[in-house]
Structures are given as structure tokens and as C-alpha cells.
Amino acid sequence: MCAGEGILPLGPLSGAVAGTVKFTTTLIPPESPFLSVSWRFNGSNIITSTSINVTGPGYDSRISLDRATGALELRNLVLEDSGEYTVTVIADRGLQQQGKITLNVYVLITGATIRSPAAILIEDKSSTNLSCEASGSISTILWIKDGLSLHSGGRVSFSMDNRTVFIQPVHSSNHGTYQCQVSNPVSTMTVAYNLSINSAAAPGQRVTLQCTAASVPPANFSWMFNSNEKRVNNSMYIIERFGAENTGNYTCTARNMVTMLENTTVLNLRDSSLKKDPD
């Protein structure tokens, strides 16, 4: 009798609670049936199949064994099914082959959402945070802003578990769409949150709004104020003397005239002399 290893693929395998997983082997059905096929979980018998089948407690209605290849199907998974699985196959000439693999069972991710304190955010004065919440087995959390990965640095930092983004203090560049992608090996969920940053200016003050864009060739710029197009075609919008009539939303659009791709950002300009709205 000689022993061999490697009749199972490299693991680990992943499964979802209430789902099904199949442990396949690399064995080809022999001319004569295997003398025995035995599966064990953390050392305890799942099924031992010879001339009869001996099935471990709790597995009768949950397993199917392919006697020709030794493959095992396990259904109605629970978290407690996570662990090491061992198969031992004995051929008609007494050749024994074994394999081991680990199964990790996860709860599907549901109910993902991004929460943030309800407040009007003023550039360079306010701070805020975005918290990603979800149910299920969370393996990784990835933050994205305006389609690009969000990294720590400058005004942006993360909690130890990556669930919360802190922005201290906010800047106009922090305005945009934030996405939280929560995942594990069997499920992924992505949610979005639009963060608005307001700028404040004092009456009579000269205000310069700056719009930037990475573009080759350099981008063309256009501006709108409260949905009305303005005749400003460069990256700066200048208000010589700020007044109440200048409060509102300023929209800058940067367009690459070769690719015709464009990106838009909105900045809300407020009067700093007015009382701040309650949170």
C-alpha cells in the first residue's frame, strides 16, 4: 500500500450560508469501483462509503457522494461548516490516496449604506465623517471617490477597520460622490453618497473660484451659476465684490476637446455673515 496527496484542488473553498459547495477531486473514474471513499470534517466522519454507507450525524439530507470520483456535495451550509475537510480513497489494489482542503462559510452581505452627520459643511471650517454599514460577513471595505480609489492623506483619514472616513476640515476638493464597496468571497455590495461642500464669503469680499482638471490636451472650462450659463471660459471664476445676489451653486465643467470626455463639479457659495443653519 502506498499513499498519495493532492487529489483535491488548492483551497480554500468559499461558500454562502444556506448555499451549496462541491468538493471535486482530480480522480478519474477507475475500471473497478473504489473499495472505499471516506470524508471527514475536522476529524469527524461525514460519510464512509464501502459496501454500505455510514453517514455522520446531521449529514443524511445534506450530502451527495459521487462514488466514481469521490466528489462530495454539501448543502444548506451553516457557519459551523467552516473548517478542514479530508477525503481518503482506497482503490481495488489497495492504493490509498488522500486530500485536504479548507472551507470558509460566509453570510451574504446585505443592507449596505453610508451614514454621515446631517450638517451644512463650510469649506475650511467644518469637519465630517462617512460611515459604511452593512450586515453579513465583511472581509474588505473599499472607498471610492468620483470613480477613483480614496486614500488616506492630507485632510482624509480612516478608522482602523476602514469603515469610517474622516475629513478634517472639509475642502471644496472633497465635494463629490463617495462609494463604499463591502465584500467577502461570496458577495459584494456597493453604495454611494453625494457629499456637498459649501464655500463662505463675506459681503464686499473679492472671491476667486478655482476649477482644476488633469487633461491632455488641457481642458476647456465653462461655468454656470444657479443653472444659468456664464461667459467664463477659463479655470477661474472671479467675483469682484461678493453680495447676496452671488450666493448659490456654481457649476464648473471641464471638457477634453479631443476625447470629448468631461467632468463636472458643483460648489455652493454662501454668505459667511449669515447665521449658520442648525445641524
Short mmCIF file of all heavy atoms in Angstrom, two decimals, residues 119-126 170-172 174-175 195-201 209 248-249 266-271 276-277:
data_model
loop_
_atom_site.label_atom_id
_atom_site.label_comp_id
_atom_site.label_asym_id
_atom_site.label_seq_id
_atom_site.Cartn_x
_atom_site.Cartn_y
_atom_site.Cartn_z
N ALA A 119 -25.48 67.91 8.41
CA ALA A 119 -24.93 69.24 8.67
C ALA A 119 -24.63 69.95 7.37
O ALA A 119 -24.40 69.30 6.34
CB ALA A 119 -23.66 69.14 9.51
N ILE A 120 -24.66 71.26 7.40
CA ILE A 120 -24.20 72.06 6.27
C ILE A 120 -22.70 72.25 6.44
O ILE A 120 -22.24 72.77 7.47
CB ILE A 120 -24.92 73.41 6.22
CG1 ILE A 120 -26.41 73.18 5.91
CG2 ILE A 120 -24.30 74.32 5.17
CD1 ILE A 120 -27.23 74.44 5.92
N LEU A 121 -21.93 71.81 5.48
CA LEU A 121 -20.48 71.81 5.59
C LEU A 121 -19.89 73.05 4.92
O LEU A 121 -20.13 73.30 3.74
CB LEU A 121 -19.90 70.54 4.96
CG LEU A 121 -20.42 69.22 5.55
CD1 LEU A 121 -19.85 68.04 4.79
CD2 LEU A 121 -20.09 69.13 7.03
N ILE A 122 -19.10 73.80 5.68
CA ILE A 122 -18.47 75.02 5.18
C ILE A 122 -16.98 74.75 4.97
O ILE A 122 -16.30 74.24 5.88
CB ILE A 122 -18.66 76.20 6.15
CG1 ILE A 122 -20.15 76.42 6.42
CG2 ILE A 122 -18.02 77.46 5.59
CD1 ILE A 122 -20.97 76.75 5.20
N GLU A 123 -16.48 75.10 3.81
CA GLU A 123 -15.09 74.87 3.47
C GLU A 123 -14.14 75.47 4.50
O GLU A 123 -14.30 76.61 4.91
CB GLU A 123 -14.79 75.45 2.08
CG GLU A 123 -13.38 75.16 1.59
CD GLU A 123 -13.17 75.65 0.17
OE1 GLU A 123 -13.88 76.58 -0.25
OE2 GLU A 123 -12.28 75.12 -0.51
N ASP A 124 -13.16 74.63 4.92
CA ASP A 124 -12.10 75.00 5.86
C ASP A 124 -12.59 75.30 7.28
O ASP A 124 -11.79 75.67 8.15
CB ASP A 124 -11.30 76.21 5.35
CG ASP A 124 -10.52 75.88 4.08
OD1 ASP A 124 -10.05 74.73 3.97
OD2 ASP A 124 -10.40 76.76 3.22
N LYS A 125 -13.90 75.12 7.54
CA LYS A 125 -14.43 75.36 8.88
C LYS A 125 -15.07 74.11 9.48
O LYS A 125 -14.97 73.88 10.69
CB LYS A 125 -15.44 76.52 8.86
CG LYS A 125 -14.82 77.87 8.54
CD LYS A 125 -15.87 78.97 8.62
CE LYS A 125 -15.24 80.33 8.31
NZ LYS A 125 -16.24 81.42 8.40
N SER A 126 -15.75 73.33 8.65
CA SER A 126 -16.48 72.15 9.13
C SER A 126 -15.65 70.89 8.94
O SER A 126 -14.77 70.81 8.09
CB SER A 126 -17.80 72.00 8.39
OG SER A 126 -18.58 73.16 8.47
N VAL A 170 -13.15 70.08 5.94
CA VAL A 170 -13.54 69.83 4.56
C VAL A 170 -12.98 70.92 3.64
O VAL A 170 -12.74 72.04 4.07
CB VAL A 170 -15.06 69.73 4.40
CG1 VAL A 170 -15.62 68.55 5.18
CG2 VAL A 170 -15.73 71.03 4.83
N HIS A 171 -12.79 70.56 2.40
CA HIS A 171 -12.31 71.48 1.35
C HIS A 171 -13.19 71.26 0.13
O HIS A 171 -13.84 70.22 -0.01
CB HIS A 171 -10.85 71.20 1.04
CG HIS A 171 -10.24 72.15 0.05
ND1 HIS A 171 -10.15 71.85 -1.30
CD2 HIS A 171 -9.72 73.39 0.22
CE1 HIS A 171 -9.59 72.88 -1.92
NE2 HIS A 171 -9.31 73.82 -1.03
N SER A 172 -13.20 72.24 -0.75
CA SER A 172 -14.03 72.10 -1.96
C SER A 172 -13.65 70.85 -2.76
O SER A 172 -14.49 70.27 -3.44
CB SER A 172 -13.90 73.34 -2.83
OG SER A 172 -12.55 73.56 -3.21
N ASN A 174 -13.11 68.04 -1.61
CA ASN A 174 -13.76 66.87 -1.01
C ASN A 174 -15.19 66.70 -1.48
O ASN A 174 -15.84 65.69 -1.18
CB ASN A 174 -13.76 66.99 0.52
CG ASN A 174 -12.36 67.10 1.09
OD1 ASN A 174 -12.08 68.02 1.84
ND2 ASN A 174 -11.48 66.18 0.75
N HIS A 175 -15.72 67.68 -2.21
CA HIS A 175 -17.06 67.59 -2.80
C HIS A 175 -17.07 66.46 -3.84
O HIS A 175 -16.14 66.30 -4.61
CB HIS A 175 -17.40 68.92 -3.47
CG HIS A 175 -18.73 68.93 -4.16
ND1 HIS A 175 -19.86 69.49 -3.59
CD2 HIS A 175 -19.11 68.46 -5.37
CE1 HIS A 175 -20.87 69.36 -4.44
NE2 HIS A 175 -20.45 68.75 -5.52
N LEU A 195 -21.53 64.02 -1.31
CA LEU A 195 -21.11 64.95 -0.28
C LEU A 195 -20.99 66.35 -0.88
O LEU A 195 -20.29 66.55 -1.87
CB LEU A 195 -19.77 64.52 0.32
CG LEU A 195 -19.27 65.33 1.52
CD1 LEU A 195 -20.17 65.09 2.73
CD2 LEU A 195 -17.83 64.94 1.86
N SER A 196 -21.68 67.31 -0.28
CA SER A 196 -21.67 68.69 -0.77
C SER A 196 -20.88 69.57 0.19
O SER A 196 -21.09 69.54 1.41
CB SER A 196 -23.10 69.23 -0.90
OG SER A 196 -23.82 68.50 -1.88
N ILE A 197 -19.97 70.35 -0.37
CA ILE A 197 -19.16 71.28 0.41
C ILE A 197 -19.53 72.70 -0.01
O ILE A 197 -19.60 73.01 -1.20
CB ILE A 197 -17.66 71.05 0.19
CG1 ILE A 197 -17.30 69.58 0.40
CG2 ILE A 197 -16.84 71.96 1.10
CD1 ILE A 197 -17.58 69.06 1.79
N ASN A 198 -19.77 73.57 0.97
CA ASN A 198 -20.12 74.96 0.70
C ASN A 198 -18.94 75.87 1.02
O ASN A 198 -18.19 75.63 1.97
CB ASN A 198 -21.31 75.37 1.56
CG ASN A 198 -22.51 74.46 1.35
OD1 ASN A 198 -23.15 74.52 0.32
ND2 ASN A 198 -22.79 73.61 2.33
N SER A 199 -18.78 76.88 0.21
CA SER A 199 -17.80 77.93 0.50
C SER A 199 -18.52 79.14 1.05
O SER A 199 -19.68 79.41 0.72
CB SER A 199 -17.03 78.31 -0.76
OG SER A 199 -16.16 77.26 -1.15
N ALA A 200 -17.83 79.90 1.91
CA ALA A 200 -18.44 81.08 2.53
C ALA A 200 -17.57 82.29 2.25
O ALA A 200 -16.34 82.21 2.26
CB ALA A 200 -18.60 80.87 4.03
N ALA A 201 -18.22 83.42 1.97
CA ALA A 201 -17.51 84.67 1.72
C ALA A 201 -18.23 85.81 2.42
O ALA A 201 -19.45 85.78 2.60
CB ALA A 201 -17.42 84.94 0.22
N LEU A 209 -13.08 81.49 -7.50
CA LEU A 209 -13.39 80.07 -7.53
C LEU A 209 -12.46 79.41 -8.54
O LEU A 209 -12.37 79.85 -9.69
CB LEU A 209 -14.86 79.84 -7.92
CG LEU A 209 -15.90 80.57 -7.07
CD1 LEU A 209 -17.30 80.24 -7.58
CD2 LEU A 209 -15.77 80.19 -5.60
N GLY A 248 -25.22 80.93 -4.09
CA GLY A 248 -25.87 79.86 -4.86
C GLY A 248 -24.88 78.84 -5.35
O GLY A 248 -23.74 78.74 -4.85
N ASN A 249 -25.29 78.09 -6.35
CA ASN A 249 -24.49 76.99 -6.87
C ASN A 249 -23.71 77.40 -8.12
O ASN A 249 -24.30 77.89 -9.09
CB ASN A 249 -25.39 75.79 -7.22
CG ASN A 249 -26.00 75.16 -5.98
OD1 ASN A 249 -25.35 75.08 -4.94
ND2 ASN A 249 -27.23 74.69 -6.10
N VAL A 266 -19.76 70.92 -8.58
CA VAL A 266 -20.66 71.98 -8.13
C VAL A 266 -20.17 72.50 -6.78
O VAL A 266 -19.87 71.73 -5.88
CB VAL A 266 -22.11 71.48 -8.00
CG1 VAL A 266 -23.03 72.61 -7.52
CG2 VAL A 266 -22.61 70.92 -9.33
N LEU A 267 -20.09 73.83 -6.66
CA LEU A 267 -19.70 74.46 -5.42
C LEU A 267 -20.79 75.43 -4.99
O LEU A 267 -21.25 76.25 -5.78
CB LEU A 267 -18.38 75.22 -5.60
CG LEU A 267 -17.80 75.87 -4.34
CD1 LEU A 267 -17.35 74.80 -3.37
CD2 LEU A 267 -16.62 76.76 -4.70
N ASN A 268 -21.20 75.30 -3.74
CA ASN A 268 -22.23 76.20 -3.20
C ASN A 268 -21.55 77.32 -2.44
O ASN A 268 -20.79 77.09 -1.50
CB ASN A 268 -23.18 75.43 -2.28
CG ASN A 268 -24.32 76.30 -1.79
OD1 ASN A 268 -24.16 77.05 -0.83
ND2 ASN A 268 -25.46 76.22 -2.45
N LEU A 269 -21.81 78.55 -2.83
CA LEU A 269 -21.20 79.73 -2.21
C LEU A 269 -22.23 80.40 -1.31
O LEU A 269 -23.33 80.74 -1.76
CB LEU A 269 -20.70 80.70 -3.27
CG LEU A 269 -19.87 81.88 -2.80
CD1 LEU A 269 -18.63 81.42 -2.04
CD2 LEU A 269 -19.45 82.74 -3.99
N ARG A 270 -21.86 80.59 -0.02
CA ARG A 270 -22.78 81.14 0.98
C ARG A 270 -22.22 82.43 1.56
O ARG A 270 -21.03 82.73 1.46
CB ARG A 270 -22.98 80.12 2.11
CG ARG A 270 -23.61 78.82 1.65
CD ARG A 270 -23.50 77.75 2.72
NE ARG A 270 -24.14 78.15 3.96
CZ ARG A 270 -25.44 77.99 4.22
NH1 ARG A 270 -26.22 77.47 3.30
NH2 ARG A 270 -25.94 78.37 5.38
N ASP A 271 -23.09 83.18 2.20
CA ASP A 271 -22.72 84.42 2.87
C ASP A 271 -22.28 84.09 4.29
O ASP A 271 -23.07 83.60 5.11
CB ASP A 271 -23.93 85.37 2.90
CG ASP A 271 -23.56 86.76 3.40
OD1 ASP A 271 -22.54 86.88 4.10
OD2 ASP A 271 -24.32 87.71 3.11
N LYS A 276 -25.28 80.39 10.72
CA LYS A 276 -25.21 79.01 10.20
C LYS A 276 -26.48 78.26 10.50
O LYS A 276 -27.02 78.34 11.60
CB LYS A 276 -24.00 78.28 10.82
CG LYS A 276 -23.83 76.87 10.29
CD LYS A 276 -22.66 76.20 10.98
CE LYS A 276 -22.53 74.75 10.56
NZ LYS A 276 -21.44 74.06 11.26
N ASP A 277 -26.96 77.51 9.47
CA ASP A 277 -28.16 76.70 9.68
C ASP A 277 -27.89 75.66 10.74
O ASP A 277 -26.78 75.15 10.88
CB ASP A 277 -28.56 76.01 8.38
CG ASP A 277 -29.04 77.02 7.34
OD1 ASP A 277 -29.34 78.15 7.73
OD2 ASP A 277 -29.11 76.63 6.16
#
